[in-house]
């Protein structure tokens, strides 16, 4: 009699199906702004944005946010905005375009970046011409300086007074290369550029997740404090390895613009410290647009002319020192902003975690966006009156965009409502388990990783309870001869253990 072959043991056959829903929360549908609201918010730029989005085959939200952010960098420290005494905001905006690789993020960025590249090429040519002229002057100055030294030496040898140093012996400071954008740089290099140019910069990245995830790349203490200050435009010292003297940046202002994919953003949300950095981003996460063959053409010259007009705004000079010129709000605008603050407080009570922090930033973001919109209106047409006040219309448009539209995009991008602490921590542990292929571990293994909020036994235990109830884990005790050791086995059906 032939016995049947034994069935191989398969660990996964002895596990229940894990609940995967908490690890990948359902997102709400993308909000869509009505054509009437879009025309109201973006005014003279609504048609340009719609055309550019059509040509690039991208959602108009992407192009609109790219325009606002780039304009904020072009204004830079030349103008700040003040709703009332004691409150000032720089125009600096940070924008994140969220979508899958084929969603059209890069083409949308290109619609705004192409005119910027034209401006930077012109700035580079101007610098090269000025540099060559300075070098010619410096060569003549070197000859004049050598002659003056010889004359002074001869006069002193003959007991006479040395001649005065001629003006021609000093060529003056070399010209500064003006910059509008950077793509990657150390904090020390960014500080050097800001100290030279004063106005501010735009950090433009196709993929923001790498930049956000690697802020500790250049310094042991981390670069996050630098970038948190770069949003606020305040004075900031940066130490240099090559010099005992720090770089003092009068106004550390850097706008940030780029895209990321939903899964990469989800990982950032799991692994980041909640220090408010991600909460500062205006975020759009629209649905992809249907594929079509465009018939229109982008008016690149119109945007270039507008950005050059914004860059022509000069600072306020006080005792030879450059300072931002502060644009005040009208009383009706201040009243409208105060009402919006009350609305944000109501929204805040219903939110949690990072989304709650983002809502707390909305009033300040509305101030910044109102100022940028006012200046974009002015820059759209030569001869338009300059906005020497931010009026109620400007702040109403900004609150409509930031509060009623982009807030819902942020809600969608951050994975709907932020979960309770134990579920959020369970998601973070699940991410570690799947990423590193753990088969088993202890609570101490989690604590030793130093994840924010997961360094104490109580929150770790609560999160592991969630994972156990979701059939991700099974705990078992090992007799060690002393205090029993609790180990957690990982369900192979999660796709983690190997």
């Amino acid at each position: 009699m032939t016995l049947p072959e034994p069935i191989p043991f398969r660990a996964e056959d002895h596990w229940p199906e894990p609940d995967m829903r908490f690890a990948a929360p359902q997102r709400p549908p993308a909000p869509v702004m009505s054509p009437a609201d879009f025309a109201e918010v973006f005014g003279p730029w609504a048609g340009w944005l719609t055309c550019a989005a059509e040509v690039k085959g991208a959602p108009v939200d992407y192009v609109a946010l790219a325009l606002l952010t780039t304009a904020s960098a072009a204004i830079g420290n030349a103008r700040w905005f003040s709703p009332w005494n004691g409150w000032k905001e720089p125009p600096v905006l940070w924008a994140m375009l969220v979508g899958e690789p084929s969603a059209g993020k890069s083409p949308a960025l290109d619609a705004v970046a192409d005119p910027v590249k034209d401006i930077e090429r012109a700035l580079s040519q101007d610098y090269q011409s000025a540099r060559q002229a300075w070098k010619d002057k410096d060569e003549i100055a070197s000859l004049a300086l050598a002659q003056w030294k010889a004359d002074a030496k001869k006069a002193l040898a003959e007991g006479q007074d040395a001649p005065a140093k001629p003006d021609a012996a000093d060529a003056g400071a070399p010209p500064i290369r003006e910059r509008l954008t950077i793509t990657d740089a150390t904090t020390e290099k960014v500080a050097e550029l800001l100290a030279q140019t004063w106005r501010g910069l735009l950090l433009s990245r196709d993929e923001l997740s790498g930049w956000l995830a690697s802020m500790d790349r250049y310094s042991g203490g981390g670069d996050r404090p630098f970038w948190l200050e770069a949003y606020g435009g305040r004075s900031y010292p940066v130490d240099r390895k090559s010099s005992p003297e720090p770089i003092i940046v009068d106004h550390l202002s850097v706008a940030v613009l780029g895209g990321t994919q939903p899964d990469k953003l989800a990982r950032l949300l799991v692994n980041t410290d909640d220090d408010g950095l991600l909460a500062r981003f205006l975020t759009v996460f629209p649905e992809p647009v249907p594929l079509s063959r465009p018939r229109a053409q982008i008016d690149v010259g119109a945007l270039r002319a507008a950005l050059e007009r914004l860059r022509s705004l000069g600072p306020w000079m006080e005792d030879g020192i450059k300072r931002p010129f502060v644009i005040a709000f009208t009383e009706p605008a201040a009243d409208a902003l105060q009402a919006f603050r009350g609305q944000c407080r109501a929204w805040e009570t219903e939110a949690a975690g990072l989304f709650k922090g983002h809502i707390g930033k909305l009033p300040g973001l509305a101030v910044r966006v109102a100022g940028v919109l006012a200046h974009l209106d002015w820059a759209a047409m030569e001869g338009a009156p300059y906005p020497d006040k931010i009026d109620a219309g400007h702040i109403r448009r900004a609150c409509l965009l930031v509060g009623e539209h982009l807030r819902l995009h942020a809600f969608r991008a951050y994975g709907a409502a932020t979960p309770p602490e134990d579920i959020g921590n369970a998601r973070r542990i699940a991410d570690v388990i799947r990423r590193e292929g753990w088969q088993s571990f202890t609570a101490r293994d989690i604590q030793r990783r130093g994840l924010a909020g997961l360094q104490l036994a109580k929150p770790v235990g609560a999160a592991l309870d969630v994972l156990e109830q979701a059939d991700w884990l099974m705990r078992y005790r090992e007799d060690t001869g002393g205090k029993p050791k609790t180990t957690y086995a990982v369900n192979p059906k999660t796709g983690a253990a190997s």
Side-chain angles (χ1 to χ4, degrees):
M1 178 177 178
T2 304
L3 296 175
E5 291 289 329
I7 299 174
F9 173 75
R10 289 165 49 88
E12 57 267 31
D13 293 339
H14 297 266
W15 283 84
E17 289 296 324
D19 185 350
M20 305 296 287
R21 290 174 298 174
F22 84 94
Q26 295 296 312
R27 300 185 187 277
V32 178
M33 184 178 286
S34 71
D37 285 349
F38 187 83
E40 178 182 356
V41 168
F42 292 102
W45 289 99
W48 189 95
L49 290 168
T50 302
C51 174
E54 178 189 345
V55 171
K56 295 297 185 179
V60 73
D61 284 309
Y62 285 161
V63 187
L65 202 50
L67 172 64
L68 284 175
T69 308
T70 303
S72 80
I75 298 167
N77 289 315
R79 297 294 185 271
W80 282 29
F81 314 117
S82 176
W84 48 73
N85 187 36
W87 185 2
K88 292 187 295 185
E89 295 279 354
V92 172
L93 296 176
W94 289 5
M96 182 183 297
L97 317 184
V98 183
E100 300 295 346
S102 60
K105 300 186 297 296
S106 295
L109 292 172
D110 288 343
V112 178
D114 288 345
V116 173
K117 291 175 183 176
D118 290 342
I119 293 173
E120 296 230 290
R121 278 192 291 268
L123 290 173
S124 180
Q125 291 171 0
D126 291 344
Y127 170 77
Q128 295 297 338
S129 297
R131 178 74 182 180
Q132 186 57 53
W134 178 85
K135 288 176 66 176
D136 294 342
K137 186 178 179 181
D138 189 53
E139 289 181 7
I140 295 173
S142 297
L143 296 174
L145 181 63
Q147 184 61 52
W148 170 73
K149 288 181 178 179
D151 293 344
K153 183 177 181 180
K154 180 179 178 182
L156 292 173
E158 294 175 353
Q160 300 176 5
D161 293 335
K165 184 178 179 180
D167 293 340
D170 186 359
I176 294 172
R177 181 191 292 270
E178 291 289 333
R179 295 282 296 274
L180 179 56
T181 62
I182 54 174
T183 56
D184 193 17
T186 64
T187 54
E188 182 177 328
K189 183 61 177 179
V190 173
E192 287 179 0
L193 291 171
L194 290 171
Q196 292 173 353
T197 61
W198 182 82
R199 190 178 199 90
L201 293 166
L202 171 67
L203 173 66
S204 181
R205 297 283 297 259
D206 270 351
E207 178 54 66
L208 282 173
S209 61
W211 173 71
L212 289 166
S214 62
M215 284 194 174
D216 295 341
R217 177 174 25 166
Y218 297 117
S219 57
D223 293 340
R224 296 179 78 88
F226 175 91
W227 290 107
L228 286 167
E229 290 298 324
Y231 180 83
R234 290 175 288 273
S235 176
Y236 193 80
V238 177
D239 294 323
R240 291 183 285 186
K241 295 180 180 179
S242 59
S243 172
E245 294 298 322
I247 304 169
I248 306 297
V249 182
D250 290 337
H251 295 285
L252 183 58
S253 299
V254 184
V256 179
L257 173 62
T260 193
Q261 297 171 31
D263 58 339
K264 292 182 178 180
L265 176 59
R267 179 155 296 179
L268 281 173
L269 296 174
V270 167
N271 293 318
T272 189
D273 290 332
D274 189 8
D275 57 3
L277 190 142
L278 277 172
R280 286 163 163 77
F281 279 88
L282 291 172
T283 304
V284 285
F285 186 6
E287 298 290 352
V289 298
L291 296 175
S292 64
R293 180 180 175 184
R295 302 294 180 182
Q297 186 171 352
I298 301 175
D299 187 353
V300 176
L303 180 54
R304 174 175 176 174
L307 293 175
E308 287 178 334
R309 187 170 299 171
L310 294 176
R311 281 184 53 80
S312 72
L313 295 170
W316 173 43
M317 299 298 295
E318 183 180 39
D319 298 328
I321 299 175
K322 294 179 180 179
R323 300 189 187 281
F325 192 93
V326 178
I327 306 295
F329 277 41
T330 64
E331 278 299 313
D335 290 341
L337 177 62
Q338 181 63 16
F340 181 65
R341 295 175 75 202
Q343 177 61 75
C344 290
R345 182 65 60 85
W347 286 330
E348 204 170 359
T349 60
E350 301 173 357
L354 178 62
F355 187 61
K356 186 184 188 77
H358 176 69
I359 291 175
K361 303 293 183 188
L362 292 185
L365 284 166
V367 172
R368 297 177 184 217
V369 170
V372 174
L373 287 173
H375 283 77
L376 273 171
D377 289 353
W378 166 75
M381 185 171 60
E382 189 173 355
Y386 180 75
D388 55 358
K389 294 282 186 181
I390 304 301
D391 64 30
H394 298 134
I395 192 64
R396 183 181 65 251
R397 292 159 60 191
C399 292
L400 176 59
L401 177 65
V402 170
E404 300 298 334
H405 188 61
L406 296 182
R407 173 179 62 89
L408 302 181
H409 276 280
F411 185 76
R412 169 174 158 85
Y414 299 159
T418 302
E421 182 182 12
D422 56 347
I423 296 178
N425 285 338
R427 287 180 184 171
R428 302 172 73 195
I429 294 173
D431 184 75
V432 174
I433 291 172
R434 298 176 75 180
R435 187 172 67 247
E436 301 192 10
W438 283 359
Q439 296 181 7
S440 65
F441 62 94
T442 67
R444 288 291 296 164
D445 292 330
I446 298 295
Q447 291 176 257
R448 292 191 190 101
R449 298 188 71 84
L451 298 173
L454 287 171
Q455 299 175 23
L456 300 178
K458 185 175 180 180
V460 171
L464 292 175
D465 287 344
V466 171
L467 289 170
E468 192 172 7
Q469 292 167 16
D471 293 320
W472 275 60
L473 307 175
M474 183 182 297
R475 78 174 72 192
Y476 59 92
R477 293 178 179 274
E478 294 182 74
D479 187 2
T480 61
K483 183 179 179 181
K485 177 183 177 182
T486 299
T487 301
Y488 293 86
V490 178
N491 186 343
K493 294 182 179 180
T494 62
S498 58

